[in-house]
């Protein structure tokens, strides 16, 4: 690629009016905030460090840090009781105070209920809330254990839970301190499941009231340091569950009709949450667009590049249209290879990815990484800190397989015939 550093003043023809026009008519798909084309304010990663806090020095250069629930696991798993979200908030404060302008998104399960979150633990400790959770079927056998035998006497729960990614003693997905794991009084550790269809009112609250106000938008969810969230998993109306655990449906004795009813209630409840997210000026990972075919499909954690060497010309022709979701929604574009694969410390095609991002992005967009596991190092390409100005229009195909877009401070092109990007600063 070529780079010229002679700075030329050009009119900023991509006006705010044009940016608004590009996203008009799309409700609930873009953030309720001012758009920006500044490159180093348009990046996102999803890091974590299981052995302790994530060193803020390792995330410098990224605009949005989306922390997973496993962050600092080896610390909070030994607390009595566990308090994941407390250490997550400490991480939020550490990171935002170390990088000017950096904001943090935090993790919230939307189907699985984690007792290592304090608000969840309190409802699991109180039998009055039991209808808010799915239960083991009345008669065994059950595949998943109902009891934690490391307590004397053992602690048991009729609320369905399994050991998917769960802490354990002496060993588990996170090793508890002796003599056992503490997920609350009488609460065996594990993945529990909310019953989104529950109509039971407890202490004047419906399940949705509590889910929205005490769990999603608690002191952390309303913190000015938190600008978004990752809502993990979903409750399917039919078919298999996300992050499935063996025989979970059989253990609960769920009928297809019950699963469908709960799935519909889940969708309705989450619609309320997504609306509240936008009204608060926040956004969520699931609301971003990473190539989903349907407007209602949510974004997953294994995001990928929207343009590949094999699909280059076809993808760019579609993405550069004015009505493309790349222009009308918040686009998430992942560095290659993406899809939960690759080494973020050794990018394979950073220039191609950055050029294609600049060719296709709309007023709201992020370039970065989806889930790649914990304790990873993230390379920051120098082009992320370049000043491209604002686009003067959409990208166009200037000859077969060659695409170009003018910015006020750069010309960006991609030759799909040779997979060659060119970014020329003006």
């Amino acid at each position: 690629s070529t780079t010229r550093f002679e700075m030329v003043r050009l009119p900023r023809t991509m006006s705010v009016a044009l940016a608004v026009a590009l996203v008009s008519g799309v409700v609930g798909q873009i953030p309720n905030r001012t758009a920006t084309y500044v490159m180093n304010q348009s990046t996102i990663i999803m890091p974590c460090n299981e052995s302790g806090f994530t060193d803020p020095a390792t995330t410098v250069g990224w605009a949005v840090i989306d922390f997973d629930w496993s962050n600092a696991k080896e610390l909070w798993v030994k607390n009595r009781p566990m308090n994941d979200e407390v250490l997550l908030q400490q991480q939020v404060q550490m990171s935002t105070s170390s990088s000017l302008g950096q904001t943090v998104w935090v993790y919230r399960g939307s189907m699985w209920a984690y007792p290592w979150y304090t608000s969840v633990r309190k409802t699991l400790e109180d039998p009055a809330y039991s209808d808010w959770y799915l239960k083991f079927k009345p008669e065994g056998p059950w595949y998943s254990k109902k009891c934690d035998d490391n307590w004397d006497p053992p602690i048991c729960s009729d609320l369905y839970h399994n050991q998917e990614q769960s802490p354990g003693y002496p060993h588990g997905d996170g090793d508890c301190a002796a003599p056992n794991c503490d997920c609350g009084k009488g609460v065996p550790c594990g993945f529990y499941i909310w019953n989104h269809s529950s109509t039971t009112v407890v202490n004047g609250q419906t399940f949705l009231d509590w889910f929205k106000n005490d769990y999603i938008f608690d002191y952390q969810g309303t913190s000015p340091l938190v600008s978004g969230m990752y809502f993990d998993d979903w409750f399917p109306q039919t078919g298999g569950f996300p992050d499935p655990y063996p025989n979970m449906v059989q253990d609960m004795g769920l009928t297809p009709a019950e699963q469908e009813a709960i799935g519909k209630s889940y969708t309705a409840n989450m619609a309320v949450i997504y609306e509240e997210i936008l009204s608060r000026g926040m956004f969520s990972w699931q609301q971003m667009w990473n190539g989903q075919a349907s407007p209602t499909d949510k974004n997953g954690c294994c995001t990928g590049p929207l343009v590949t060497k094999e699909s280059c010309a076809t993808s760019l022709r579609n993405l550069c249209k004015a009505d493309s979701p790349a222009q009308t929604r918040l686009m998430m574009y992942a560095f290659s290879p993406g899809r939960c694969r690759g080494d973020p410390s050794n990018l394979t095609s950073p220039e191609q990815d950055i050029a294609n991002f600049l060719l296709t992005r709309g007023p709201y967009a992020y370039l970065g990484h989806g889930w790649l596991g914990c304790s990873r190092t993230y390379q920051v390409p120098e082009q992320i800190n370049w000043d491209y100005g604002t686009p003067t229009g959409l990208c166009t195909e200037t000859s077969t397989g060659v695409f170009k877009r003018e910015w006020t401070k750069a010309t960006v092109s991609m030759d799909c015939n040779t997979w060659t990007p060119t970014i020329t600063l003006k």
Side-chain angles (χ1 to χ4, degrees), residues 306-327:
L306 293 170
V307 181
T308 65
K309 185 176 182 180
E310 295 73 23
S311 72
C312 184
T314 300
S315 295
L316 286 175
R317 289 185 189 114
N318 291 325
L319 294 169
C320 292
K321 295 177 181 177
D323 61 354
S324 164
Q327 311 303 324

Side-chain angles (χ1 to χ4, degrees), residues 113-356:
Y114 301 152
W116 34 89
Y117 275 57
T118 302
S119 57
V120 178
R121 170 178 58 79
K122 289 180 178 179
T123 61
L124 289 169
E125 290 176 323
D126 187 344
Y129 293 91
S130 63
D131 286 349
W132 289 5
Y133 294 88
L134 296 185
K135 299 176 176 64
F136 282 102
K137 62 185 178 183
E139 299 291 334
W142 305 285
Y143 182 88
S144 292
K145 293 176 58 177
K146 299 177 71 173
C147 301
D148 183 348
D149 296 330
N150 286 313
W151 289 78
D152 185 17
I155 56 173
C156 304
S157 177
D158 289 329
L159 306 181
Y160 174 78
H161 57 281
N162 61 50
Q163 264 43 69
E164 169 78 15
Q165 299 180 47
S166 294
Y169 177 79
H171 301 295
D173 196 331
D175 298 342
C176 302
N180 45 43
C181 295
D182 188 348
C183 283
K185 184 177 180 181
V187 180
C189 290
F191 275 31
Y192 292 75
I193 301 180
W194 281 302
N195 178 9
H196 278 266
S197 67
S198 176
T199 58
T200 299
V201 177
V202 184
N203 295 326
Q205 283 186 308
T206 65
F207 170 76
L208 179 57
D209 290 336
W210 173 88
F211 186 72
K212 174 184 172 184
N213 299 316
D214 291 20
Y215 174 64
I216 303 293
F217 300 107
D218 61 355
Y219 72 94
Q220 183 177 82
T222 56
S223 167
L225 303 178
V226 173
S227 62
M229 294 190 179
Y230 182 94
F231 297 117
D232 204 4
D233 299 315
W234 69 95
F235 200 105
Q237 294 183 29
T238 60
F241 282 77
D243 289 333
Y245 198 75
N247 299 312
M248 57 183 289
V249 174
Q250 291 84 352
D251 273 1
M252 292 182 284
L254 273 183
T255 67
E258 289 170 333
Q259 180 175 332
E260 181 181 10
I262 298 171
K264 287 181 177 178
S265 295
Y266 167 85
T267 301
N269 287 347
M270 289 306 298
V272 173
I273 299 302
Y274 288 126
E275 181 179 355
E276 183 71 14
I277 281 280
L278 295 175
S279 72
R280 291 175 178 268
M282 304 168 72
F283 211 64
S284 74
W285 190 278
Q286 283 60 42
Q287 290 168 291
M288 297 193 291
W289 184 76
N290 186 241
Q292 302 97 288
S294 169
T296 60
D297 289 346
K298 302 305 179 187
N299 184 34
C301 64
C302 290
T303 49
L306 293 170
V307 181
T308 65
K309 185 176 182 180
E310 295 73 23
S311 72
C312 184
T314 300
S315 295
L316 286 175
R317 289 185 189 114
N318 291 325
L319 294 169
C320 292
K321 295 177 181 177
D323 61 354
S324 164
Q327 311 303 324
T328 61
R329 295 182 59 178
L330 192 159
M331 178 183 76
M332 197 287 170
Y333 194 114
F335 280 105
S336 301
R339 309 299 175 198
C340 292
R341 297 177 291 117
D343 179 0
S345 69
N346 185 23
L347 300 177
T348 58
S349 307
E351 292 184 355
Q352 286 87 345
D353 289 330
I354 291 171
N356 287 324

Side-chain angles (χ1 to χ4, degrees), residues 31 34 52 69 83 88 102-103 110 113 125 146 167 182 206 222 227 255 261 380 417:
T34 303
W69 68 272
N83 56 347
L88 186 58
Q102 187 178 87
T103 64
S110 64
E125 290 176 323
K146 299 177 71 173
D182 188 348
T206 65
T222 56
S227 62
T255 67
V380 181
N417 304 298

Side-chain angles (χ1 to χ4, degrees), residues 44-54 59 64-76 83-92 95 103-110 112 114 116-117 164-167 173-174 191 215 220 226 228-233 243 285-286 300-302 340 369-376 378:
I44 190 169
I45 57 174
M46 189 186 290
C48 81
N49 177 26
E50 288 185 334
S51 64
F53 290 110
T54 297
T59 58
V64 177
I65 312 301
D66 187 342
F67 281 110
D68 184 68
W69 68 272
S70 293
N71 195 66
K73 180 185 283 187
E74 289 301 322
L75 299 180
W76 57 257
N83 56 347
D84 185 357
E85 89 292 344
V86 173
L87 273 70
L88 186 58
Q89 185 64 14
Q90 291 177 24
Q91 181 71 71
V92 168
S95 296
T103 64
V104 172
W105 293 9
V106 294
Y107 180 100
R108 290 292 186 272
S110 64
W112 296 111
Y114 301 152
W116 34 89
Y117 275 57
E164 169 78 15
Q165 299 180 47
S166 294
D173 196 331
F191 275 31
Y215 174 64
Q220 183 177 82
V226 173
M229 294 190 179
Y230 182 94
F231 297 117
D232 204 4
D233 299 315
D243 289 333
W285 190 278
Q286 283 60 42
C301 64
C302 290
C340 292
H369 298 277
W371 176 246
L372 292 171
C374 293
S375 304
R376 307 302 296 268
Y378 290 86

